[in-house]
Amino acid sequence: MRESEFWMLMDDEFGEAYAAVVARSQHMGALDGRTAQEAVDAGVPPRRVWEALCDHMGIPPVRRLGKDRPLRRGPVDE
C-alpha cells in the first residue's frame, strides 16, 4: 500500500477533516504508542498502520478496503 492509498482510506472512513484528527490523536500499542501520523512519518509501512488503526478503532473488515470507485478508462490503443 502506498501512503497516498492510506490517506484515501482514511478519508473514506472518517471524512477528510476528521481523518487528520484521528491520525494525530489515536495512540496505539500496536504501533509502539505512536499515532498513525507518527508511525507513517517514522517509515512504518502504511498497510501496517492502517490495519493497526482499524483494529484500534473497531472498523469492521467489510469497510477496510475503502469505497468502491468506478474504473478509470484511458484511451484505447488500436
Coordinates of all heavy atoms in Angstrom, one line a residue:
M1 N 0.8 -1.2 0.0 CA 0.0 0.0 0.0 C 0.9 1.2 0.0 O 1.9 1.3 0.8 CB -0.9 0.0 1.2 CG -1.7 1.3 1.5 SD -2.6 1.4 3.0 CE -3.8 0.1 2.8
R2 N 0.5 2.2 -0.8 CA 1.3 3.5 -0.8 C 0.7 4.4 0.2 O -0.5 4.2 0.7 CB 1.1 4.1 -2.2 CG 1.7 3.4 -3.3 CD 1.6 4.1 -4.6 NE 2.2 3.4 -5.7 CZ 1.7 3.2 -6.9 NH1 0.6 3.7 -7.2 NH2 2.4 2.5 -7.7
E3 N 1.4 5.4 0.6 CA 1.0 6.3 1.6 C -0.3 7.0 1.1 O -1.2 7.3 1.8 CB 2.1 7.3 2.0 CG 1.7 8.2 3.1 CD 2.8 9.1 3.6 OE1 4.0 8.8 3.4 OE2 2.5 10.2 4.1
S4 N -0.3 7.3 -0.2 CA -1.5 8.0 -0.8 C -2.7 7.1 -0.6 O -3.8 7.7 -0.4 CB -1.3 8.4 -2.3 OG -1.0 7.2 -3.0
E5 N -2.6 5.8 -0.8 CA -3.7 4.9 -0.6 C -4.2 4.9 0.9 O -5.4 4.9 1.2 CB -3.4 3.5 -1.0 CG -3.1 3.4 -2.5 CD -2.5 2.1 -2.9 OE1 -1.4 1.7 -2.4 OE2 -3.2 1.4 -3.7
F6 N -3.2 5.0 1.8 CA -3.5 5.0 3.2 C -4.4 6.2 3.5 O -5.5 6.1 4.1 CB -2.2 5.1 4.0 CG -2.5 5.5 5.5 CD1 -2.9 4.5 6.4 CD2 -2.3 6.8 5.9 CE1 -3.1 4.9 7.7 CE2 -2.5 7.1 7.2 CZ -2.9 6.2 8.1
W7 N -4.0 7.4 3.0 CA -4.8 8.6 3.2 C -6.2 8.6 2.5 O -7.1 9.1 3.0 CB -4.0 9.9 2.8 CG -2.9 10.1 3.8 CD1 -1.6 9.9 3.6 CD2 -3.0 10.5 5.2 NE1 -0.9 10.2 4.8 CE2 -1.7 10.5 5.7 CE3 -4.1 10.7 6.0 CZ2 -1.5 10.8 7.1 CZ3 -3.9 11.1 7.3 CH2 -2.6 11.1 7.9
M8 N -6.3 7.9 1.4 CA -7.5 7.8 0.7 C -8.5 6.9 1.6 O -9.7 7.3 1.8 CB -7.4 7.2 -0.7 CG -8.7 7.1 -1.5 SD -8.5 6.5 -3.2 CE -7.5 5.0 -3.0
L9 N -8.0 5.9 2.1 CA -8.8 5.0 3.0 C -9.2 5.8 4.3 O -10.3 5.6 4.8 CB -8.0 3.8 3.4 CG -7.8 2.7 2.3 CD1 -6.8 1.7 2.7 CD2 -9.1 2.1 1.9
M10 N -8.3 6.6 4.8 CA -8.6 7.4 6.0 C -9.7 8.4 5.7 O -10.7 8.5 6.4 CB -7.4 8.2 6.4 CG -6.3 7.4 7.1 SD -6.7 6.7 8.7 CE -6.6 8.3 9.7
D11 N -9.6 9.0 4.5 CA -10.7 10.0 4.1 C -12.0 9.2 3.9 O -13.1 9.7 4.3 CB -10.3 10.7 2.8 CG -9.2 11.7 3.1 OD1 -8.8 12.0 4.2 OD2 -8.6 12.2 2.1
D12 N -12.0 8.1 3.3 CA -13.2 7.3 3.0 C -13.9 6.9 4.3 O -15.1 7.0 4.5 CB -12.9 6.0 2.3 CG -12.6 6.2 0.8 OD1 -12.7 7.3 0.3 OD2 -12.2 5.2 0.2
E13 N -13.1 6.5 5.3 CA -13.7 6.0 6.6 C -14.1 7.2 7.5 O -15.1 7.1 8.1 CB -12.7 5.1 7.3 CG -13.2 4.6 8.6 CD -14.4 3.7 8.4 OE1 -14.5 3.0 7.4 OE2 -15.2 3.6 9.4
F14 N -13.3 8.2 7.6 CA -13.5 9.2 8.6 C -13.9 10.6 8.1 O -14.3 11.5 8.8 CB -12.3 9.4 9.5 CG -11.8 8.2 10.2 CD1 -10.7 7.5 9.8 CD2 -12.5 7.7 11.3 CE1 -10.3 6.3 10.4 CE2 -12.2 6.6 11.9 CZ -11.0 5.9 11.5
G15 N -13.8 10.8 6.8 CA -14.0 12.1 6.2 C -12.7 12.9 6.2 O -11.8 12.6 7.0
E16 N -12.6 13.8 5.2 CA -11.3 14.4 5.0 C -10.8 15.2 6.3 O -9.6 15.0 6.7 CB -11.4 15.4 3.8 CG -10.0 15.9 3.4 CD -10.1 16.6 2.1 OE1 -11.0 16.3 1.3 OE2 -9.3 17.6 1.9
A17 N -11.6 15.9 6.9 CA -11.2 16.8 8.1 C -10.9 15.9 9.3 O -9.9 16.1 10.0 CB -12.3 17.8 8.4
Y18 N -11.8 15.0 9.6 CA -11.7 14.2 10.8 C -10.6 13.1 10.7 O -9.9 12.7 11.7 CB -13.0 13.5 11.1 CG -13.0 12.8 12.5 CD1 -12.7 13.5 13.6 CD2 -13.4 11.5 12.6 CE1 -12.7 12.9 14.9 CE2 -13.4 10.8 13.8 CZ -13.0 11.5 15.0 OH -13.0 10.9 16.2
A19 N -10.3 12.7 9.4 CA -9.2 11.7 9.2 C -7.9 12.3 9.8 O -7.1 11.5 10.4 CB -9.0 11.4 7.7
A20 N -7.6 13.5 9.5 CA -6.4 14.1 10.0 C -6.3 14.2 11.6 O -5.3 13.9 12.2 CB -6.2 15.6 9.5
V21 N -7.5 14.4 12.2 CA -7.6 14.4 13.6 C -7.3 13.0 14.2 O -6.5 12.9 15.1 CB -9.0 15.0 14.1 CG1 -9.2 14.8 15.6 CG2 -9.2 16.4 13.7
V22 N -7.9 12.0 13.6 CA -7.8 10.7 14.1 C -6.3 10.3 13.9 O -5.7 9.7 14.8 CB -8.7 9.7 13.3 CG1 -8.3 8.2 13.5 CG2 -10.1 10.0 13.6
A23 N -5.7 10.6 12.8 CA -4.3 10.2 12.5 C -3.3 10.9 13.5 O -2.3 10.3 13.8 CB -3.9 10.7 11.1
R24 N -3.7 12.0 14.1 CA -2.8 12.7 15.0 C -3.1 12.5 16.5 O -2.4 12.8 17.4 CB -2.8 14.2 14.8 CG -2.2 14.6 13.5 CD -2.0 16.2 13.4 NE -3.2 16.9 13.8 CZ -4.2 17.3 13.0 NH1 -4.1 17.1 11.7 NH2 -5.2 18.0 13.4
S25 N -4.3 11.8 16.8 CA -4.7 11.8 18.2 C -4.8 10.4 18.8 O -4.8 10.2 20.0 CB -6.1 12.5 18.3 OG -7.1 11.7 17.6
Q26 N -4.9 9.3 18.0 CA -5.1 8.0 18.5 C -3.7 7.3 18.7 O -3.1 6.9 17.7 CB -6.0 7.2 17.6 CG -7.4 7.7 17.4 CD -8.1 7.7 18.7 OE1 -8.2 6.7 19.4 NE2 -8.7 8.8 19.1
H27 N -3.3 7.1 19.9 CA -2.0 6.4 20.2 C -2.3 5.0 20.3 O -3.3 4.6 21.0 CB -1.4 7.0 21.5 CG -1.0 8.4 21.4 ND1 0.3 8.7 21.0 CD2 -1.6 9.5 21.5 CE1 0.4 10.0 21.0 NE2 -0.7 10.6 21.3
M28 N -1.5 4.1 19.6 CA -1.9 2.7 19.5 C -0.7 1.9 20.0 O 0.5 2.1 19.6 CB -2.2 2.3 18.1 CG -3.5 3.0 17.6 SD -3.7 2.9 15.9 CE -2.9 4.4 15.4
G29 N -1.0 0.9 20.9 CA 0.0 0.0 21.4 C 0.7 -0.8 20.2 O 1.9 -1.1 20.3
A30 N -0.1 -1.2 19.2 CA 0.4 -2.0 18.1 C 1.4 -1.2 17.3 O 2.2 -1.8 16.5 CB -0.8 -2.4 17.2
L31 N 1.5 0.1 17.5 CA 2.5 1.0 16.8 C 3.4 1.6 17.8 O 3.9 2.7 17.7 CB 1.7 2.1 16.0 CG 0.8 1.6 14.9 CD1 0.1 2.8 14.3 CD2 1.6 0.8 13.9
D32 N 3.7 0.8 18.9 CA 4.6 1.3 20.0 C 4.2 2.6 20.6 O 5.0 3.4 20.9 CB 6.0 1.3 19.4 CG 6.5 0.0 19.0 OD1 6.2 -1.0 19.6 OD2 7.3 0.0 17.9
G33 N 2.9 2.8 20.7 CA 2.4 4.0 21.4 C 2.3 5.2 20.5 O 2.0 6.3 20.9
R34 N 2.7 5.1 19.2 CA 2.7 6.2 18.3 C 1.3 6.4 17.7 O 0.4 5.5 17.7 CB 3.6 5.9 17.1 CG 5.1 6.0 17.5 CD 6.0 5.8 16.4 NE 6.0 4.3 16.1 CZ 7.0 3.7 15.4 NH1 8.0 4.4 15.0 NH2 6.9 2.4 15.2
T35 N 1.0 7.6 17.2 CA -0.2 7.8 16.4 C 0.1 7.3 15.0 O 1.2 7.0 14.6 CB -0.5 9.3 16.3 OG1 0.5 10.0 15.6 CG2 -0.6 9.9 17.7
A36 N -1.0 7.2 14.2 CA -0.9 6.8 12.8 C 0.1 7.8 12.1 O 0.9 7.4 11.3 CB -2.2 6.8 12.1
Q37 N -0.1 9.1 12.3 CA 0.8 10.1 11.6 C 2.2 9.9 12.0 O 3.1 9.9 11.2 CB 0.3 11.5 12.0 CG 1.1 12.6 11.3 CD 0.8 12.6 9.8 OE1 -0.3 12.9 9.4 NE2 1.8 12.3 9.0
E38 N 2.5 9.7 13.3 CA 3.9 9.5 13.7 C 4.5 8.2 13.1 O 5.6 8.2 12.7 CB 3.9 9.4 15.3 CG 3.6 10.7 16.0 CD 3.4 10.5 17.5 OE1 3.1 9.4 17.9 OE2 3.5 11.6 18.2
A39 N 3.6 7.2 13.1 CA 4.1 5.9 12.5 C 4.4 6.0 11.0 O 5.5 5.6 10.6 CB 3.1 4.8 12.7
V40 N 3.6 6.7 10.3 CA 3.8 6.9 8.8 C 5.1 7.7 8.7 O 5.9 7.4 7.8 CB 2.6 7.5 8.1 CG1 2.9 8.0 6.8 CG2 1.4 6.5 8.1
D41 N 5.2 8.8 9.4 CA 6.4 9.6 9.3 C 7.7 8.9 9.7 O 8.7 9.2 9.2 CB 6.2 10.9 10.3 CG 5.2 11.8 9.8 OD1 4.7 11.7 8.6 OD2 4.8 12.7 10.6
A42 N 7.6 7.9 10.6 CA 8.7 7.1 11.0 C 9.1 6.0 10.0 O 10.0 5.3 10.2 CB 8.5 6.5 12.4
G43 N 8.2 5.8 9.0 CA 8.5 4.8 8.0 C 7.9 3.5 8.2 O 8.2 2.5 7.5
V44 N 6.9 3.4 9.1 CA 6.2 2.2 9.3 C 5.3 2.0 8.0 O 4.7 2.9 7.5 CB 5.3 2.2 10.5 CG1 4.4 1.0 10.6 CG2 6.1 2.4 11.8
P45 N 5.3 0.8 7.4 CA 4.5 0.6 6.2 C 3.1 1.0 6.4 O 2.4 0.6 7.4 CB 4.6 -0.9 6.0 CG 5.9 -1.4 6.7 CD 6.0 -0.5 7.9
P46 N 2.6 1.8 5.5 CA 1.2 2.3 5.6 C 0.1 1.2 5.8 O -0.8 1.3 6.5 CB 0.9 3.0 4.3 CG 2.3 3.4 3.9 CD 3.2 2.3 4.3
R47 N 0.3 0.0 5.2 CA -0.6 -1.1 5.4 C -0.7 -1.5 6.8 O -1.7 -1.7 7.4 CB -0.2 -2.3 4.5 CG -0.9 -3.6 4.9 CD -2.3 -3.8 4.3 NE -2.3 -3.7 2.9 CZ -3.5 -3.3 2.3 NH1 -4.6 -3.0 3.0 NH2 -3.5 -3.1 1.0
R48 N 0.5 -1.6 7.5 CA 0.6 -2.0 8.9 C -0.1 -0.9 9.8 O -0.9 -1.2 10.7 CB 2.0 -2.1 9.4 CG 2.1 -2.6 10.8 CD 3.5 -3.0 11.1 NE 3.6 -3.0 12.6 CZ 4.6 -2.5 13.3 NH1 5.6 -1.9 12.7 NH2 4.6 -2.5 14.6
V49 N 0.1 0.4 9.4 CA -0.5 1.5 10.2 C -2.1 1.4 10.0 O -2.8 1.5 11.0 CB 0.0 2.8 9.7 CG1 -0.7 4.0 10.4 CG2 1.5 2.9 9.9
W50 N -2.5 1.2 8.8 CA -4.0 1.1 8.5 C -4.6 0.0 9.3 O -5.6 0.1 9.9 CB -4.2 1.0 7.0 CG -5.7 0.8 6.7 CD1 -6.2 -0.3 6.1 CD2 -6.7 1.7 6.9 NE1 -7.6 -0.2 6.0 CE2 -7.9 1.1 6.4 CE3 -6.8 3.0 7.4 CZ2 -9.2 1.7 6.5 CZ3 -8.1 3.6 7.5 CH2 -9.2 3.0 7.0
E51 N -4.0 -1.2 9.2 CA -4.5 -2.4 10.0 C -4.5 -2.1 11.5 O -5.5 -2.5 12.1 CB -3.7 -3.6 9.6 CG -4.0 -4.1 8.2 CD -3.0 -5.2 7.7 OE1 -2.1 -5.6 8.4 OE2 -3.3 -5.7 6.6
A52 N -3.5 -1.5 12.0 CA -3.5 -1.2 13.4 C -4.6 -0.2 13.8 O -5.3 -0.4 14.8 CB -2.1 -0.7 13.8
L53 N -4.8 0.8 13.0 CA -5.8 1.8 13.2 C -7.2 1.1 13.1 O -8.1 1.4 14.0 CB -5.7 2.9 12.2 CG -6.6 4.1 12.5 CD1 -6.3 4.8 13.8 CD2 -6.6 5.1 11.3
C54 N -7.4 0.3 12.1 CA -8.7 -0.4 12.0 C -9.0 -1.3 13.2 O -10.1 -1.2 13.8 CB -8.7 -1.3 10.7 SG -8.8 -0.4 9.2
D55 N -8.0 -2.0 13.7 CA -8.2 -2.8 14.9 C -8.5 -1.9 16.1 O -9.4 -2.2 16.9 CB -7.0 -3.7 15.2 CG -6.8 -4.8 14.1 OD1 -7.7 -5.1 13.4 OD2 -5.6 -5.3 14.1
H56 N -7.7 -0.9 16.2 CA -7.9 0.1 17.4 C -9.3 0.7 17.4 O -9.9 0.9 18.5 CB -6.8 1.1 17.3 CG -6.8 2.1 18.4 ND1 -6.4 1.8 19.7 CD2 -7.2 3.4 18.4 CE1 -6.6 2.9 20.5 NE2 -7.0 3.9 19.7
M57 N -9.7 1.1 16.2 CA -11.0 1.9 16.1 C -12.2 0.9 15.9 O -13.3 1.4 15.8 CB -10.9 2.9 15.0 CG -9.8 3.9 15.1 SD -10.1 5.1 16.4 CE -11.5 6.0 15.8
G58 N -12.0 -0.4 15.8 CA -13.1 -1.3 15.6 C -13.8 -1.2 14.3 O -15.0 -1.4 14.1
I59 N -13.0 -0.9 13.2 CA -13.5 -0.8 11.9 C -13.7 -2.2 11.4 O -12.8 -3.0 11.3 CB -12.6 0.0 11.0 CG1 -12.5 1.4 11.5 CG2 -13.1 0.0 9.5 CD1 -11.4 2.2 10.8
P60 N -15.0 -2.6 11.0 CA -15.2 -4.0 10.5 C -14.5 -4.3 9.2 O -14.3 -3.4 8.4 CB -16.7 -4.0 10.4 CG -17.2 -2.6 10.2 CD -16.2 -1.8 10.9
P61 N -14.2 -5.5 9.0 CA -13.4 -5.9 7.8 C -14.1 -5.5 6.5 O -13.4 -5.1 5.5 CB -13.4 -7.4 7.8 CG -13.4 -7.7 9.3 CD -14.3 -6.7 9.9
V62 N -15.4 -5.4 6.5 CA -16.1 -5.0 5.2 C -15.8 -3.6 4.8 O -16.0 -3.2 3.7 CB -17.7 -5.3 5.4 CG1 -18.3 -4.3 6.4 CG2 -18.4 -5.3 4.1
R63 N -15.4 -2.8 5.8 CA -15.1 -1.3 5.5 C -13.6 -1.0 5.3 O -13.3 0.1 5.1 CB -15.7 -0.5 6.5 CG -17.3 -0.5 6.5 CD -17.9 0.7 7.2 NE -17.2 1.4 8.2 CZ -17.6 1.4 9.5 NH1 -18.7 0.9 9.9 NH2 -16.9 2.1 10.4
R64 N -12.8 -2.0 5.5 CA -11.3 -1.8 5.5 C -10.7 -1.6 4.1 O -9.6 -1.2 4.0 CB -10.6 -2.9 6.2 CG -11.0 -2.9 7.7 CD -10.2 -3.9 8.4 NE -10.6 -3.9 9.8 CZ -9.9 -4.4 10.8 NH1 -8.8 -5.0 10.6 NH2 -10.4 -4.3 12.1
L65 N -11.5 -1.8 3.0 CA -11.0 -1.6 1.7 C -11.4 -0.3 1.0 O -11.0 -0.1 -0.1 CB -11.4 -2.8 0.8 CG -11.0 -4.2 1.2 CD1 -11.6 -5.2 0.3 CD2 -9.5 -4.3 1.2
G66 N -12.1 0.5 1.7 CA -12.5 1.8 1.2 C -13.7 1.7 0.3 O -14.3 0.7 0.2
K67 N -14.1 2.9 -0.2 CA -15.3 3.0 -1.0 C -15.0 2.4 -2.4 O -13.9 2.5 -2.9 CB -15.7 4.4 -1.2 CG -16.2 5.0 0.2 CD -16.6 6.4 0.0 CE -17.0 7.0 1.3 NZ -17.3 8.5 1.2
D68 N -16.0 1.9 -3.0 CA -15.9 1.4 -4.4 C -15.9 2.7 -5.3 O -16.6 3.6 -5.1 CB -17.2 0.6 -4.8 CG -17.1 -0.8 -4.2 OD1 -16.0 -1.3 -3.9 OD2 -18.2 -1.4 -4.1
R69 N -15.0 2.6 -6.3 CA -14.8 3.7 -7.2 C -15.0 3.2 -8.6 O -14.6 2.1 -8.9 CB -13.5 4.4 -7.0 CG -13.4 5.2 -5.7 CD -12.0 5.9 -5.6 NE -12.0 6.8 -4.5 CZ -12.0 6.4 -3.2 NH1 -12.0 5.2 -2.9 NH2 -12.0 7.3 -2.3
P70 N -15.6 4.0 -9.5 CA -15.7 3.5 -10.9 C -14.3 3.3 -11.5 O -13.3 4.0 -11.2 CB -16.5 4.6 -11.6 CG -16.4 5.8 -10.7 CD -16.1 5.3 -9.4
L71 N -14.2 2.4 -12.4 CA -12.9 2.2 -13.2 C -12.7 3.4 -14.0 O -13.5 4.0 -14.6 CB -13.0 0.9 -14.1 CG -13.2 -0.4 -13.4 CD1 -13.4 -1.5 -14.4 CD2 -11.9 -0.7 -12.6
R72 N -11.4 3.8 -14.0 CA -11.0 4.9 -14.9 C -10.6 4.3 -16.2 O -9.8 3.4 -16.3 CB -9.8 5.6 -14.3 CG -10.2 6.3 -13.0 CD -9.2 7.3 -12.5 NE -7.8 6.7 -12.5 CZ -6.8 7.3 -12.0 NH1 -6.9 8.5 -11.5 NH2 -5.6 6.7 -12.1
R73 N -11.2 4.8 -17.3 CA -10.8 4.3 -18.6 C -10.0 5.3 -19.3 O -10.2 6.5 -19.3 CB -12.1 4.1 -19.4 CG -13.1 3.2 -18.7 CD -13.7 2.3 -19.7 NE -14.7 1.4 -19.1 CZ -14.5 0.1 -18.9 NH1 -13.4 -0.4 -19.3 NH2 -15.5 -0.6 -18.3
G74 N -8.9 4.8 -19.8 CA -8.0 5.7 -20.6 C -8.2 5.5 -22.1 O -9.1 4.7 -22.5
P75 N -7.4 6.1 -22.9 CA -7.5 5.9 -24.3 C -7.2 4.5 -24.8 O -6.4 3.8 -24.2 CB -6.5 6.9 -24.9 CG -5.6 7.3 -23.8 CD -6.3 7.0 -22.5
V76 N -8.0 4.0 -25.8 CA -7.8 2.7 -26.2 C -6.8 2.7 -27.4 O -6.9 3.5 -28.3 CB -9.2 2.1 -26.7 CG1 -9.0 0.7 -27.3 CG2 -10.2 2.1 -25.6
D77 N -5.8 1.9 -27.3 CA -4.8 1.8 -28.3 C -5.3 0.8 -29.4 O -5.7 -0.3 -29.1 CB -3.5 1.2 -27.8 CG -2.8 2.2 -26.8 OD1 -2.9 3.4 -27.0 OD2 -2.1 1.7 -25.9
E78 N -5.3 1.3 -30.6 CA -5.8 0.5 -31.7 C -4.7 0.1 -32.6 O -3.8 0.7 -32.8 CB -6.9 1.2 -32.5 CG -8.1 1.4 -31.6 CD -9.3 2.0 -32.4 OE1 -9.6 1.5 -33.4 OE2 -9.8 3.0 -31.9

